[in-house]
């Protein structure tokens, strides 16, 4: 991609994110985004169909970065589930303003839905569901873990992160391990 296009898209996304932190999504206009990004309205529309397309791409961008940062990479099989959770909580802590806004906004259900879909995919890819909990439907178990994890993350962020990222990772991992140990014995 042309460097100028990439630069203007990033400026638009940054301006949009900054405005999202300052005001409700419904009150943000394309004019404000363009002005803050130092581009004209036409440039915004050349990259995004409308403000909802921009929102969706912004959400996609942030969630992809979250999961790229926190998932095990290729040959790096030495990273434990606990380490992966710790990296996840640290990333969320570093980007707390964005994630708190997305999680607290009642009008932006697209974020929570996309986060849930990515969490389900991650659990399906990283957790060995064979041999444990034979009496529990695997699809239901994945949905349970995804919803529980998102609920804990949401609670942690919306309550101003009362515990360290390391502590949260330890606690969540312990709960997951305990459930598997109790159910598999």
């Amino acid at each position: 991609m042309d460097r100028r296009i990439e630069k203007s898209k990033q400026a638009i996304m940054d301006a949009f994110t900054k405005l999202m932190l300052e005001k409700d999504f419904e009150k943000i206009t394309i004019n404000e985004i363009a002005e803050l990004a130092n581009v004209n309205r036409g440039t915004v529309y050349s990259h995004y169909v409308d403000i909802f397309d921009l929102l969706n791409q912004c959400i996609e961008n942030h969630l992809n970065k979250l999961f790229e940062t926190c998932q095990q990479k290729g040959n790096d099989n030495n990273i434990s589930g606990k380490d992966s959770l710790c990296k996840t909580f640290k990333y969320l802590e570093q980007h707390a303003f964005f994630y708190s806004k997305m999680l607290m906004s009642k009008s932006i259900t697209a974020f929570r839905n996309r986060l849930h879909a990515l969490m389900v995919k991650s659990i399906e890819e990283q957790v060995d569901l064979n041999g444990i909990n034979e009496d529990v439907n695997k699809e239901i178990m994945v949905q349970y873990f995804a919803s529980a994890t998102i609920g804990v993350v949401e609670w942690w962020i919306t309550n101003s992160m009362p515990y360290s990222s390391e502590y949260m990772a330890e606690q969540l991992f312990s709960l997951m391990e305990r459930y598997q140990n109790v159910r598999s014995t």
Side-chain angles (χ1 to χ4, degrees):
M1 184 182 299
D2 184 332
R3 206 179 293 161
R4 290 172 294 164
I5 293 171
E6 186 67 36
K7 192 174 179 180
S8 67
K9 283 183 82 169
Q10 189 60 52
I12 292 166
M13 189 109 20
D14 290 347
F16 180 63
T17 301
K18 185 174 191 289
L19 288 168
M20 289 279 299
L21 299 176
E22 295 172 2
K23 59 197 317 191
D24 291 335
F25 169 73
E26 297 82 17
K27 296 182 179 173
I28 298 172
T29 66
I30 294 292
N31 283 343
E32 289 175 309
I33 296 166
E35 186 176 317
L36 190 57
N38 200 25
V39 298
N40 63 45
R41 282 174 48 98
T43 302
V44 176
Y45 284 116
S46 71
H47 299 300
Y48 307 98
V49 174
D50 56 20
I51 198 161
F52 297 102
D53 182 38
L54 175 56
L55 173 64
N56 286 332
Q57 288 191 41
C58 185
I59 288 170
E60 191 74 21
N61 184 36
H62 278 275
L63 290 177
N64 284 339
K65 285 180 183 176
L66 169 66
F67 279 87
E68 285 171 13
T69 299
C70 305
Q71 284 188 326
Q72 297 176 9
K73 304 278 193 250
N75 297 342
D76 196 1
N77 293 330
N78 296 331
I79 297 177
S80 70
K82 187 176 177 180
D83 291 338
S84 184
L85 270 176
C86 193
K87 287 172 73 176
T88 300
F89 276 101
K90 283 183 180 189
Y91 183 89
L92 290 168
E93 191 173 42
Q94 292 168 351
H95 300 88
F97 287 121
F98 174 79
Y99 288 100
S100 65
K101 183 68 172 185
M102 291 290 109
L103 289 167
M104 287 194 264
S105 177
K106 301 296 181 214
S107 61
I108 306 178
T109 57
F111 177 78
R112 202 166 199 290
N113 294 341
R114 183 69 180 118
L115 179 61
H116 186 269
L118 285 171
M119 184 64 67
V120 164
K121 182 180 177 201
S122 177
I123 290 169
E124 289 172 340
E125 290 174 356
Q126 292 190 14
V127 176
D128 181 15
L129 299 173
N130 297 317
I132 59 169
N133 303 310
E134 287 90 9
D135 61 329
V136 177
N137 179 293
K138 303 304 181 211
E139 184 178 10
I140 293 171
M141 188 182 341
V142 168
Q143 291 296 321
Y144 171 78
F145 279 129
S147 297
T149 301
I150 291 169
V152 168
V153 166
E154 187 172 14
W155 169 85
W156 182 64
I157 289 174
T158 58
N159 285 286
S160 304
M161 297 172 281
Y163 302 103
S164 72
S165 54
E166 293 85 1
Y167 183 78
M168 290 301 296
E170 275 179 29
Q171 292 297 300
L172 190 55
F173 189 76
S174 178
L175 287 169
M176 289 177 173
E177 258 187 342
R178 192 171 300 158
Y179 177 77
Q180 288 180 0
N181 288 337
V182 168
R183 297 300 299 162
S184 62
T185 56

